[in-house]
Amino acid sequence: MPITPRYSLTQTSTHLHIEVSIPHVRVSTSTIELRVVEGTEVNLYAPPTYLLRLTLPDRVIDEDAVEDSLSCSAIGLSPIQEVGVPSNEVQRSLTKEDLPKLQYNPEKNHGTLVVILKKEEEGIWQDLDLLGRLQQPTQKVQPKTAAKKLLVQEISENGEESTRSSEINEAQQEVLEECLSIQKTISYGLFKKYSNVFRDYARAGLAHEMLECPNPDEAIGKGEESIELEEQYRRELRRQTENEKFDASRYLNDLDIANEDDMIFESAIMMKPHWMEINQSDVGGNSFFTSDESHLLAELPRGTNIPTNLSAEQKQSALLCLLDILFAYVYDHRTTDGDPTVESSWTVMILSPTLSWLECYNSPYDTIADVIGWSIRRSLIYPYLRSYDLAKLIAEDACEITKR
């Protein structure tokens, strides 16, 4: 079975360059297959090992477009106007120079192919470093199927259609509504797409090792309360738990930790994290992630149930959840000098309300200031270093990461 090779993308305003690493492969014009489908799908096959399929965010010029343009020019016709294109925006003539090109560099990474594609319209495309998104197949609209009709229909003696098989009497309806209110589903996670994930773990007594929230799949409030009120109950329980676990004497002991020659604190304050380091090779480039990071992101399993059309509130909620996770990660990164320990997973979990209490922020009611405040609050309650100065530095780091 072919595997996806390592690759990277760079661009200019007119061209897209795809560098594909295919080490130890015998390359010739007869073995490498490059096909651009409908201007957006790129298929590169280097048998017998590598197969790369990408869906581009915009259109490039493919072979069919060039052939059509050359055919029109050969018989003296102007380029064919596309449907829906204004008459003053007729497609320009294309030449063989506009065809997709392949270049091979045998010395780079033991063999690298460079695919050069010309854009239909000049401009800079966004998010080319999100390789996982480029590997997702195009979403094809499925035709709507007609509603299935019953092949057999029951007719009463008076000639009227009987609806006895489809109706539920009032007593059954009341029982059904009561069961639904009792078995209320608690949703959490990214875009609230998950439920009943921790039920079996809670029964086995393992949920408390992964979360601070007790029995996350069971309702805290009364059965008739709405999901929105349930989320408020959880947030109040979280804040109540934080108040109970806050150790004032421990906080006071760390209040002057900067003058106590604590090695861990000094290392956390003085270290220069990797997001502060400027990679000179990336200056002026289009990629935020390194090559290894981009390839790791591309290998992550792609979920099929992620909604495609997100509202502004859903996007803001996801970004707020990401912010408190970033805060927890930065705390662990600084306090471990960039070398995670066996306690790192617990540290990240306990500092992040999203991970420890399955918090779902509601925009615009929850703001960035709220999330940072709750994260700082937890950093003064649970971990080893409970310093407000360190917490402020970590908040600045988290904001700096989001800017980059």
Side-chain angles (χ1 to χ4, degrees):
M1 181 177 179
I3 62 175
T4 302
R6 283 180 173 265
Y7 65 97
S8 61
L9 294 88
T10 57
Q11 64 174 325
T12 64
S13 60
T14 58
H15 288 81
L16 175 68
H17 299 258
I18 307 175
E19 290 192 4
V20 185
S21 178
I22 51 171
H24 314 298
V25 172
R26 181 175 296 178
V27 175
S28 66
T29 55
S30 60
T31 58
I32 302 298
E33 299 179 16
L34 173 63
R35 182 65 176 170
V36 181
V37 182
E38 297 181 353
T40 57
E41 297 182 14
V42 179
N43 299 317
L44 178 64
Y45 181 43
T49 309
Y50 300 107
L51 175 62
L52 178 62
R53 294 177 177 175
L54 300 179
T55 302
L56 303 179
D58 209 334
R59 295 181 62 86
V60 296
I61 297 175
D62 55 20
E63 295 179 352
D64 294 337
V66 175
E67 291 177 0
D68 293 342
S69 179
L70 293 177
S71 299
C72 293
S73 300
I75 60 177
L77 297 178
S78 60
I80 300 175
Q81 180 180 351
E82 295 184 1
V83 178
V85 177
S87 58
N88 59 345
E89 297 182 6
V90 179
Q91 181 182 2
R92 68 176 181 84
S93 298
L94 302 176
T95 65
K96 292 184 178 181
E97 295 297 325
D98 299 321
L99 285 170
K101 298 180 178 61
L102 269 176
Q103 297 178 355
Y104 180 63
N105 185 353
E107 298 180 355
K108 185 175 183 179
N109 297 329
H110 303 286
T112 299
L113 276 175
V114 180
V115 182
I116 304 176
L117 305 172
K118 188 169 184 178
K119 301 178 181 178
E120 279 195 358
E121 298 181 359
E122 294 186 4
I124 300 298
W125 297 349
Q126 301 296 323
D127 298 333
L128 287 184
D129 52 349
L130 302 180
L131 303 185
R133 180 181 299 178
L134 299 178
Q135 292 179 206
Q136 292 180 359
T138 54
Q139 299 292 335
K140 296 183 179 179
V141 179
Q142 299 293 337
K144 295 182 179 180
T145 57
K148 295 182 180 179
K149 295 184 179 180
L150 296 176
L151 299 180
V152 179
Q153 194 170 26
E154 183 180 355
I155 306 298
S156 64
E157 294 180 356
N158 298 330
E160 298 179 354
E161 298 179 2
S162 175
T163 59
R164 289 178 297 174
S165 60
S166 60
E167 291 182 349
I168 301 176
N169 58 43
E170 295 181 0
Q172 292 175 332
Q173 185 69 22
E174 291 178 358
V175 173
L176 178 61
E177 291 179 356
E178 183 179 356
C179 293
L180 291 176
S181 64
I182 295 175
Q183 298 177 356
K184 180 173 54 178
T185 301
I186 307 299
S187 300
Y188 40 75
L190 184 62
F191 308 122
K192 299 182 181 180
K193 300 292 290 184
Y194 302 92
S195 60
N196 296 324
V197 175
F198 299 94
R199 187 176 296 276
D200 293 336
Y201 293 106
R203 291 172 182 172
L206 299 176
H208 71 279
E209 297 182 5
M210 297 178 285
L211 304 170
E212 191 181 29
C213 177
N215 299 331
D217 292 305
E218 295 183 4
I220 299 176
K222 298 180 180 179
E224 66 271 10
E225 299 291 349
S226 65
I227 297 298
E228 290 77 10
L229 290 179
E230 180 65 27
E231 293 177 355
Q232 294 181 14
Y233 286 139
R234 289 187 180 277
R235 181 169 294 182
E236 290 300 325
L237 180 60
R238 171 175 66 82
R239 301 185 67 175
Q240 179 182 350
T241 304
E242 292 171 354
N243 291 335
E244 293 174 354
K245 292 188 176 182
F246 176 70
D247 189 342
S249 60
R250 173 66 185 277
Y251 172 72
L252 291 176
N253 289 337
D254 287 351
L255 195 61
D256 196 32
I257 194 173
N259 299 323
E260 294 179 359
D261 296 331
D262 188 288
M263 295 179 59
I264 298 179
F265 177 81
E266 292 179 356
S267 177
I269 293 294
M270 298 301 295
M271 81 167 298
K272 185 178 182 181
H274 60 83
W275 55 86
M276 294 287 188
E277 299 175 357
I278 300 177
N279 189 351
Q280 297 298 331
S281 61
D282 290 339
V283 174
N286 299 313
S287 179
F288 171 80
F289 301 103
T290 64
S291 175
D292 291 339
E293 290 171 343
S294 297
H295 190 72
L296 179 61
L297 290 174
E299 291 180 338
L300 293 177
R302 297 184 292 274
T304 58
N305 60 345
I306 300 299
T308 55
N309 298 323
L310 298 176
S311 64
E313 290 76 12
Q314 286 178 309
K315 293 179 181 179
Q316 183 70 11
S317 176
L319 291 175
L320 292 176
C321 292
L322 177 62
L323 182 59
D324 80 30
I325 296 176
L326 276 177
F327 182 96
Y329 162 75
V330 172
Y331 181 97
D332 179 75
H333 186 80
R334 279 191 174 272
T335 55
T336 60
D337 201 21
D339 186 14
T341 67
V342 294
E343 296 291 339
S344 294
S345 58
W346 177 87
T347 302
V348 174
M349 179 275 295
I350 203 65
L351 291 182
S352 167
T354 298
L355 300 180
S356 58
W357 282 85
L358 306 177
E359 183 73 61
C360 293
Y361 300 109
N362 298 316
S363 176
Y365 305 105
D366 298 327
T367 64
I368 295 177
D370 294 331
V371 175
I372 292 295
W374 290 327
S375 298
I376 292 177
R377 172 186 172 96
R378 295 184 70 83
S379 71
L380 302 179
I381 299 173
Y382 295 96
Y384 170 70
L385 295 176
R386 305 179 186 181
S387 169
Y388 183 66
D389 293 334
L390 177 61
K392 289 193 299 181
L393 178 60
I394 291 170
E396 294 174 0
D397 284 340
C399 295
E400 181 66 24
I401 293 176
T402 59
K403 290 179 183 178
R404 293 175 179 265

